[in-house]
Amino acid sequence: MSKNGLSHEYEVGVEYFLQFALRNANNPNAMPCPCAKCGNLKTKDIDTIRAHLCCNGIDLTYHTWIWHGERSKFENSMNDGDRVGQDERKYFTEEPISMVHGAYDSYAKNPNQFHKLLEDAEKPLYPGCVKFTKLSALVKLYNSKAKYSWSDKSFTDLLGLFGQMLPDDNELPLTLYDAKKSLCALGMDYVKIHACPNDCILYRKEYEDFTNCPICGMSRWKLGKNSTIIGGVPAKVLWYFPPIPRFQRWFQQKVISKELTWHADKRIRDGYLHHPADAPSWKVVDHNWPNFASEPRNLRLAISADVMNPHSLMSSAYSCWPIVMITYNLPPSLCMKRKFMMLTLLISGPKQPGNDIDVYLAPLIDDLKFLWDNGVDTYDAYRKEMFSLRAVLLWTINDFPAYGNMSGCIVKGYHACPICGEETYSTRLKHSRKIVYTGHRRFLPTSLPYRRQKKAFNRNQEFKLAPKPLTGYEVLERVERINYRLGKMSGKIKSNVGDEKSCWKKKSIFFELEYWKHLHFDMFLM
């Protein structure tokens, strides 16, 4: 199967391989596909695997058939001289962390990849070098590329220049392609998910093999001149960076693993707010789910979303939505550092998702539900033990327009205040044609003299009390009856209740999280 993909020998090799795999497969209808594109990460039926091998070729790094023949144990593939402890060996022999999500542990799947990573981590950059190994030098250079926004071409030229400056027998890759192949062993993979250009669906799960959107009928593929379909080029792509493997790698580092329990081990408890663990929202989770709170390593998360222009041009029509995840288990000096702010989703333009952002949040919500319901087996390098890691999403962080897209609350018009809701004091100015919001004296103490003044305000006294924020249950009750169809071309139906004064326009996807309705309403306003 290493022959030319168009040769007769390759065709014979494919058929021999498929028959061999069928004889040894646990499930003949769902076998790992070893083509260059799937790389044994996706399961397919035998006909699809045959088509993939003919079109994409076989993954050339797949030399030992442990996924289609006899399953060899990882311990047997390790030499006696390997400097890996028994606990680490147990971790790397674990089954894939989530068959539901299609996420495989790359080290358990491919022991040779782990050996290659160890070799690169120990091999000097050049003979006699004591400051850098091949891996550490490459990681530092790649971090600088990301930090200073170097182009791919400039980075390739820089690697070539450094290669000429170093001794002839150095280990530094000379091209960006070679550098990426070395860094892939770290397992920092991403998933490209095709999306409908009208934001109706993602081509995943039941829609994975569709070529047209079942809602609006738009083609999955990009349209060229004269509206001809360019096969293989998606019209819109979501970039998803699964957070679960990165959480597991945090705990594999002793220093970070220790810091992830700072809120339980070193936090000062004097009644003042020093950390999010002192906030009511954190305590709600501790009170309602004591089993979750009993494990301090369980993660408390937040996500931040906002639009950005990657080209730094105010007039550009292109937009990009990064979704960043923050972990609050860390001390305050670290939890907002760039190193621990994790990019999970990248929603590319040119159209902004708007209220249809729920379509793109679906993969992340699936992972969050899995972390809450099941947890993942994780190795703690600091305590040298395995434990089941779980996580909870406490709130989202947005500006006001993005808050409206994420929560489903109206943020403009006569009922734009998330706290006041239908009781918002608003007036439309006749000449400027703008809406202004008054009635803020309701939030002042009742004894304050400002409440009785007329001339300085709207010529009326204010004796009403401030409205109470809604609870999560009350919000869910209001949005349950809203009929909102996702997609730009789906013909919006806001509500079938007949309440024109409702300040809610959709049910947020966050309510798919079991615990979301139990959280305080003010969490939606972060």
Side-chain angles (χ1 to χ4, degrees):
M1 294 182 70
S2 61
K3 300 290 185 179
N4 188 305
L6 300 178
S7 64
H8 177 71
E9 291 86 353
Y10 181 82
E11 183 179 352
V12 172
V14 168
E15 290 302 325
Y16 175 81
F17 167 78
L18 293 176
Q19 297 304 319
F20 174 81
L22 277 176
R23 291 194 299 270
N24 295 276
N26 293 329
N27 183 359
N29 295 322
M31 296 187 298
C33 178
C35 76
K37 186 176 180 180
C38 298
N40 287 317
L41 296 179
K42 297 181 179 179
T43 56
K44 306 287 184 181
D45 58 80
I46 188 169
D47 293 331
T48 304
I49 294 177
R50 180 184 288 106
H52 281 203
L53 289 174
C54 292
C55 297
N56 305 329
I58 192 171
D59 182 1
L60 296 180
T61 63
Y62 188 39
H63 300 298
T64 306
W65 288 3
I66 62 173
W67 293 103
H68 298 87
E70 297 180 355
R71 292 182 176 270
S72 61
K73 293 294 183 181
F74 181 69
E75 293 90 341
N76 296 335
S77 68
M78 289 184 130
N79 298 325
D80 295 335
D82 287 333
R83 299 184 299 169
V84 181
Q86 294 297 326
D87 290 273
E88 286 86 345
R89 293 189 186 200
K90 178 182 178 183
Y91 171 74
F92 288 120
T93 57
E94 290 294 313
E95 288 298 316
I97 57 176
S98 170
M99 298 296 289
V100 176
H101 300 78
Y104 289 78
D105 189 299
S106 58
Y107 299 146
K109 181 181 73 68
N110 193 344
N112 295 328
Q113 191 179 50
F114 177 66
H115 282 295
K116 181 65 167 59
L117 182 63
L118 288 179
E119 291 176 3
D120 290 346
E122 296 176 354
K123 185 182 298 183
L125 182 59
Y126 55 85
C129 180
V130 295
K131 291 185 177 181
F132 295 102
T133 64
K134 175 182 178 180
L135 184 62
S136 66
L138 193 54
V139 169
K140 285 183 178 296
L141 284 171
Y142 212 83
N143 285 341
S144 297
K145 176 188 186 303
K147 183 177 181 180
Y148 299 108
S149 303
W150 296 344
S151 66
D152 292 351
K153 187 176 186 304
S154 66
F155 188 68
T156 299
D157 292 343
L158 185 65
L159 289 176
L161 183 60
F162 280 169
Q164 296 176 11
M165 294 179 178
L166 295 174
D168 293 337
D169 48 357
N170 69 83
E171 298 292 336
L172 189 69
L174 298 180
T175 64
L176 175 64
Y177 177 76
D178 294 334
K180 285 184 175 180
K181 287 201 300 184
S182 299
L183 291 176
C184 280
L186 293 173
M188 302 302 291
D189 295 331
Y190 59 86
V191 181
K192 293 171 66 175
I193 306 175
H194 298 177
C196 170
N198 290 323
D199 304 328
C200 300
I201 62 163
L202 293 179
Y203 290 97
R204 58 191 293 265
K205 294 186 176 179
E206 66 271 21
Y207 302 127
E208 182 176 0
D209 298 324
F210 281 38
T211 56
N212 291 84
C213 175
I215 297 176
C216 69
M218 286 289 290
S219 173
R220 175 177 184 168
W221 311 112
K222 190 173 182 179
L223 299 179
K225 295 181 179 180
N226 301 323
S227 298
T228 56
I229 296 176
I230 306 176
V233 181
K236 194 169 185 178
V237 174
L238 168 69
W239 301 71
Y240 180 52
F241 304 84
I244 293 178
R246 287 185 280 178
F247 288 149
Q248 292 179 306
R249 288 181 181 86
W250 277 357
F251 281 99
Q252 292 174 34
Q253 303 179 54
K254 291 184 178 180
V255 176
I256 298 179
S257 178
K258 181 179 179 181
E259 294 291 354
L260 284 170
T261 57
W262 181 93
H263 66 94
D265 301 334
K266 299 181 181 180
R267 178 169 55 91
I268 300 174
R269 295 174 174 83
D270 57 1
Y272 293 95
L273 183 62
H274 297 283
H275 187 270
D278 300 315
S281 52
W282 190 296
K283 296 176 182 178
V284 166
V285 176
D286 291 346
H287 178 266
N288 291 342
W289 299 280
N291 290 335
F292 180 89
S294 63
E295 175 54 80
R297 291 173 290 193
N298 288 335
L299 300 177
R300 317 291 180 112
L301 309 171
I303 61 173
S304 175
D306 199 4
V307 65
M308 59 170 284
N309 189 330
H311 304 296
S312 302
L313 297 174
M314 297 300 294
S315 61
S316 175
Y318 192 88
S319 67
C320 185
W321 280 73
I323 310 294
V324 179
M325 182 171 287
I326 298 99
T327 303
Y328 288 115
N329 291 48
L330 297 162
S333 59
L334 295 179
C335 63
M336 300 303 289
K337 292 290 186 181
R338 178 176 178 176
K339 179 179 180 181
F340 298 103
M341 296 178 69
M342 185 184 298
L343 179 66
T344 56
L345 291 168
L346 199 59
I347 308 170
S348 59
K351 294 180 181 179
Q352 295 191 28
N355 296 325
D356 302 318
I357 195 172
D358 289 2
V359 172
Y360 300 94
L361 291 171
L364 179 59
I365 296 297
D366 287 347
D367 272 346
L368 290 174
K369 287 193 292 186
F370 185 82
L371 281 171
W372 175 260
D373 296 333
N374 304 303
V376 292
D377 291 334
T378 304
Y379 178 72
D380 186 340
Y382 177 68
R383 296 165 183 82
K384 297 182 179 180
E385 63 182 12
M386 296 289 296
F387 75 102
S388 180
L389 175 65
R390 299 174 63 197
V392 61
L393 180 69
L394 293 179
W395 52 67
T396 65
I397 305 172
N398 326 284
D399 60 9
F400 205 49
Y403 156 73
N405 298 143
M406 299 279 281
S407 68
C409 181
I410 292 176
V411 293
K412 56 185 177 181
Y414 290 99
H415 305 289
C417 178
I419 298 295
C420 301
E422 290 83 357
E423 300 179 16
T424 303
Y425 282 18
S426 57
T427 304
R428 186 173 187 271
L429 300 179
K430 180 179 180 180
H431 298 290
S432 65
R433 299 180 182 179
K434 295 182 180 296
I435 298 176
V436 296
Y437 304 94
T438 58
H440 302 102
R441 285 181 290 168
R442 291 181 295 171
F443 295 90
L444 298 176
T446 56
S447 60
L448 208 65
Y450 287 121
R451 278 180 167 263
R452 297 186 294 275
Q453 293 181 8
K454 296 182 179 181
K455 188 175 180 180
F457 296 96
N458 59 352
R459 301 186 182 278
N460 293 310
Q461 292 182 333
E462 183 62 76
F463 297 111
K464 291 185 177 181
L465 298 178
K468 294 182 179 179
L470 298 176
T471 65
Y473 285 101
E474 292 172 331
V475 174
L476 181 59
E477 182 181 358
R478 282 164 169 75
V479 300
E480 280 280 21
R481 296 170 292 174
I482 295 178
N483 181 11
Y484 181 88
R485 294 186 293 187
L486 296 171
K488 296 290 189 293
M489 305 293 290
S490 59
K492 302 300 181 187
I493 298 178
K494 180 196 167 186
S495 175
N496 56 7
V497 183
D499 184 5
E500 297 180 356
K501 295 183 178 180
S502 175
C503 64
W504 300 95
K505 52 191 175 183
K506 69 172 183 177
K507 180 182 177 182
S508 173
I509 193 174
F510 291 106
F511 279 109
E512 292 187 12
L513 301 172
E514 175 192 346
Y515 49 81
W516 197 251
K517 60 181 178 290
H518 298 277
L519 304 180
H520 287 310
F521 176 77
D522 57 358
M523 295 180 191
F524 294 91
L525 307 181
M526 295 299 290

